[in-house]
Amino acid sequence: MKADKLLIRNASQVVTCSGFAAKKGKAMSDIGVIEDGAVAVLNGRIIHVGTTRDILSRIYEEEYTVIDATGKALLPGFVDSHTHFVFGGYREEEFSWRLRGDSYMSIMERGGGIVNTMKATRESNYDDLWESGYVRLSDMMEMGVTTVEGKSGYGLDLETELMQLRVMKEIDEEHPVDVIATFLGAHAIPPEYKDRADDYIRYIIETVLPAVAKEELAGFCDVFCEKGVFSVKQSERLLRAAQALGMKPKLHADEIVTSGGAELAVKLNAVSADHLLRVSDEGIRQLAGSNTVATLLPLTAFSLCEPYARGREIIDAGCAVALATDLNPGSCFSCSIPMLIALACIYMKLTPEEVVTALTINGAAAVGRANTIGSIDVGKQADMILLRYPSYKFLPYHIGMNMVEITIKNGKTYHS
Ligand code: NIG
Ligand code: FE
């Protein structure tokens, strides 16, 4: 076996997405295509990128395990930078209520929604959460995802929030896909704190956050900043407390109503502001002038029958956009990358190049990893995908179909 040395040669395209930071606005179109390209990998890291001719003149091919990628495109692995993939139970009934016309928020106000999954998660146990989470991660990997961000937020109490995060930590250690954990204790107000959002935020800040930090279970802290859930003020209080403990802020911002979530994200220099279906013009302007990635989740808009985020305008304004699935049991029970790509192009008017950037280097930036993943650059982790087709342009064109043939994670190959 020559598993530590891998050469992919004669790829019709190597799409590098080269870079070490999020790409904003027009720069999202620079994806760096090398025709008849090759990539050499040593011990899980990329050591050469170039044309096949160039690379073959620099290495001894016989030392390598070789993949002939003739007629196929090689891209960086996808980074799904916003998911809630560890949870107990399902909410299929609520989905049929929504089909009948009930809104997501009205179901939440009746005690369903996130609190419904909270109950199922509290009743679940470590092993069941581990098992179902692991399987979901494998489904994502089949579609070319090599790094996944996962949020807590279905425990809404100390014990269950910690359990969710510990499950993610163990899955990260055992599954080839990397898991980056985010603490989302402020996802909803649990029944014990009904009509006492301020008290709940205090409980999170004083009791849960320090425990999460002490065990080093999450590098990021997120909050559902939304009318009827947590206000801008409450969100700010929590995220500042998280920052003081070394966690970087993220926000569920302006998802259902315009509430200044994007502006708060910029004020706090958050890593990302996510959803943004109802972001204001001012919010877009501020995001464009910031380091905060605008993470758009078109599968959620589709599933909720809500208008899509203004993706085209957001990029044209100069923002860095990432795309993610938002996989969760309520608003979006899907981790379909092919469908996400189709929606982003057809309804949000992103170009195929912008979609590739949004799912790779910008997704990496949205989880603070643009230095190590998200592009095919020398020195980065060898996380790549080989498509069945000769061009990245097939991604939105072959609608809803998974065309990932091989996922390469840390230099190891996994066939879909
Ligand atoms: O990103 N909006 C808040 N959180 C999730 C939904 C979670 C759920 O419904 O279980 C979201 O859409
Ligand atoms: Fe979410």
Side-chain angles (χ1 to χ4, degrees):
M1 273 292 279
K2 295 178 270 187
D4 55 339
K5 279 190 163 187
L6 178 69
L7 172 68
I8 304 111
R9 56 171 286 179
N10 296 107
S12 52
Q13 295 178 337
V14 171
V15 181
T16 65
C17 298
S18 180
F20 296 84
K23 293 186 187 174
K24 296 172 85 168
K26 282 198 173 56
M28 284 187 68
S29 303
D30 305 335
I31 56 172
V33 177
I34 301 170
E35 278 169 24
D36 193 3
V39 176
V41 174
L42 172 65
N43 294 330
R45 301 217 164 259
I46 296 166
I47 54 166
H48 297 290
V49 184
T51 61
T52 302
R53 209 185 138 114
D54 173 32
I55 301 304
L56 290 181
S57 72
R58 289 152 67 179
I59 63 165
Y60 296 103
E61 189 182 359
E62 54 281 7
E63 292 176 359
Y64 286 76
T65 301
V66 178
I67 296 176
D68 173 11
T70 304
K72 294 164 186 176
L74 187 74
L75 284 81
F78 294 138
V79 179
D80 192 346
S81 63
H82 180 141
T83 84
H84 311 245
F85 79 97
V86 173
F87 56 83
Y90 290 99
R91 306 205 322 252
E92 70 284 5
E93 284 304 330
E94 292 182 7
F95 187 79
S96 5
W97 298 342
R98 286 213 310 275
L99 294 177
R100 263 181 2 209
D102 293 4
S103 73
Y104 178 78
M105 287 313 271
S106 75
I107 293 170
M108 188 160 177
E109 278 151 20
R110 302 208 295 264
I114 294 166
V115 165
N116 192 346
T117 299
M118 174 213 78
K119 287 181 191 146
T121 306
R122 286 182 185 178
E123 281 161 18
S124 183
N125 58 58
Y126 187 94
D127 290 345
D128 288 348
L129 291 180
W130 185 94
E131 169 86 32
S132 55
Y134 193 95
V135 170
R136 285 176 202 130
L137 214 54
S138 297
D139 287 346
M140 291 186 243
M141 191 175 178
E142 294 253 313
M143 291 179 280
V145 173
T146 47
T147 300
V148 167
E149 185 258 14
K151 301 175 196 294
S152 69
Y154 290 123
L156 312 182
D157 63 15
L158 177 65
E159 191 191 340
T160 323
E161 286 293 312
L162 290 179
M163 177 165 72
Q164 263 194 287
L165 292 168
R166 288 179 187 137
V167 164
M168 279 189 261
K169 188 173 182 183
E170 196 188 320
I171 294 180
D172 176 46
E173 285 158 9
E174 292 169 11
H175 198 287
V177 168
D178 285 323
V179 177
I180 296 171
T182 295
F183 172 59
L184 178 57
H187 195 194
I189 303 159
E192 318 71 286
Y193 284 89
K194 195 170 176 339
D195 300 324
R196 292 194 297 132
D198 273 329
D199 291 346
Y200 181 61
I201 290 289
R202 187 173 322 123
Y203 163 71
I204 292 287
I205 291 174
E206 289 175 2
T207 308
V208 192
L209 204 51
V212 171
K214 190 163 169 234
E215 256 189 76
E216 294 183 9
L217 288 170
F220 299 92
C221 182
D222 195 345
V223 54
F224 190 10
C225 178
E226 188 67 50
K227 185 167 179 269
V229 193
F230 298 106
S231 67
V232 167
K233 227 170 132 188
Q234 288 160 341
S235 303
E236 178 167 355
R237 198 178 311 143
L238 169 63
L239 293 174
R240 286 203 187 276
Q243 275 177 315
L245 292 171
M247 284 181 234
K248 298 197 178 108
K250 281 177 158 284
L251 272 110
H252 280 67
D254 303 311
E255 177 179 356
I256 318 278
V257 297
T258 310
S259 46
E263 290 86 336
L264 175 62
V266 172
K267 184 175 170 190
L268 296 175
N269 196 22
V271 182
S272 68
D274 302 31
H275 283 290
L276 304 172
L277 303 188
R278 311 276 179 176
V279 65
S280 65
D281 292 345
E282 175 59 17
I284 295 177
R285 204 186 59 73
Q286 290 193 19
L287 281 169
S290 77
N291 294 317
T292 301
V293 176
T295 300
L296 309 182
L297 312 162
L299 287 166
T300 310
F302 175 75
S303 166
L304 293 178
C305 300
E306 293 282 339
Y308 292 87
R310 295 182 277 158
R312 182 73 265 136
E313 269 181 71
I314 293 174
I315 294 176
D316 289 344
C319 296
V321 164
L323 287 165
T325 63
D326 196 22
L327 169 65
N328 74 73
S331 66
C332 181
F333 187 38
S334 175
C335 58
S336 173
I337 297 287
M339 189 160 160
L340 159 66
I341 291 173
L343 296 178
C345 288
I346 292 172
Y347 290 113
M348 298 198 319
K349 308 294 178 204
L350 269 62
T351 64
E353 293 77 19
E354 289 165 344
V355 161
V356 167
T357 297
L359 276 169
T360 57
I361 187 68
N362 282 10
V367 290
R369 298 277 175 103
N371 270 330
T372 52
I373 57 170
S375 67
I376 303 182
D377 276 307
V378 169
K380 282 205 177 180
Q381 252 175 244
D383 293 0
M384 296 175 278
I385 54 176
L386 191 64
L387 305 185
R388 252 176 256 290
Y389 291 99
S391 166
Y392 68 88
K393 287 190 177 160
F394 281 72
L395 285 165
Y397 160 57
H398 197 23
I399 293 179
M401 302 301 289
N402 183 24
M403 66 199 73
V404 175
E405 187 168 283
I406 304 177
T407 301
I408 301 164
K409 177 67 195 174
N410 283 318
K412 291 203 166 59
T413 54
Y414 302 85
H415 290 254
S416 289

